[in-house]
Amino acid sequence: MSEPPGGGPQDAPPGQPPERPPGQRDARPRPSHRAALTTLARSAGITTAFVVAYYLLPMDQESTLRTTTMLVGGLLGVALVFGWEVRVIARSPHPRLRAVEAFATTLSMFLLLFASAYYLVERGLPGTFSESLTRTDALYFALTTFATVGYGDIVAVTQVGRVMAMLQMLGGLLLVGLAARVLAAAVQAGLEQTRGKPPPE
């Protein structure tokens, strides 16, 4: 008995996916406006919470060793959070949106960590910078260093301050370069996994 003209999905040209029967939906979920707004709101909320904690948490330790330990431990924490976010992105139904949230979380943690270190170093070693730093000044210096703006109104004067600024510069390059590649790979893995799921009933 011959097939009707047009045939079934098996008649698709080699190398091309078979055509979906009429009425069958694409298995890939498209992010809705609500999902996008939820992601943006969550990212803004996380960043805001980090900034509020930066201004409210007590930072009275004046030991350079403690500050260094805090910075190293904080950087390890940022790396762990980033690794966890990559795993979540690869399994998320909306990996692109999840990547935006992951980058916002990682970047805010990175900047606030260095701002805290600058503030503590200036308290422990007065004169490390060209002027005494408030918490806002320290955050401002961290942002201008990351953005490579370098206004020059606040500069690191001592060797300790300059080493910390160089560490932030190197970390910023890794964050923008390597981390962006890792996030893109995680997004691609998430999209491929989503394509492989059966369509919802």
Side-chain angles (χ1 to χ4, degrees):
M1 188 171 180
S2 61
E3 290 283 343
Q10 65 274 14
D11 295 330
Q16 295 185 9
E19 296 181 0
R20 296 193 307 273
Q24 181 176 339
R25 292 179 294 176
D26 193 344
R28 290 172 292 179
R30 300 176 182 269
S32 62
H33 292 295
R34 182 176 181 180
L37 290 175
T38 300
T39 299
L40 292 175
R42 191 162 52 223
S43 300
I46 291 172
T47 302
T48 301
F50 284 155
V51 172
V52 170
Y54 168 74
Y55 277 99
L56 294 183
L57 289 177
M59 289 192 287
D60 51 4
Q61 57 194 44
E62 299 181 0
S63 168
T64 305
L65 178 60
R66 290 180 182 177
T67 301
T68 303
T69 303
M70 181 273 294
L71 181 59
V72 173
L75 289 174
L76 290 176
V78 171
L80 290 175
V81 170
F82 180 76
W84 176 77
E85 291 282 4
V86 168
R87 291 174 60 88
V88 172
I89 291 169
R91 301 175 181 178
S92 172
H94 303 304
R96 292 189 182 95
L97 294 179
R98 189 70 193 194
V100 171
E101 181 180 340
F103 187 76
T105 301
T106 305
L107 179 59
S108 57
M109 288 180 64
F110 178 80
L111 292 175
L112 290 170
L113 176 64
F114 271 96
S116 301
Y118 294 140
Y119 176 76
L120 290 172
V121 164
E122 175 61 26
R123 285 174 59 87
L125 297 172
T128 300
F129 296 90
S130 54
E131 61 181 73
S132 180
L133 300 183
T134 65
R135 298 195 190 206
T136 301
D137 293 333
L139 181 56
Y140 166 81
F141 180 74
L143 284 169
T144 55
T145 301
F146 177 79
T148 67
V149 176
Y151 291 124
D153 50 349
I154 300 176
V155 296
V157 176
T158 65
Q159 298 298 304
V160 174
R162 289 175 177 174
V163 168
M164 290 181 59
M166 287 190 292
L167 287 176
Q168 186 193 342
M169 293 174 195
L170 291 174
L173 290 175
L174 288 175
L175 185 63
V176 173
L178 179 61
R181 284 178 173 270
V182 173
L183 288 177
V187 168
Q188 186 62 33
L191 291 174
E192 290 176 358
Q193 182 180 10
T194 301
R195 292 190 188 104
K197 292 182 179 180
E201 297 293 338

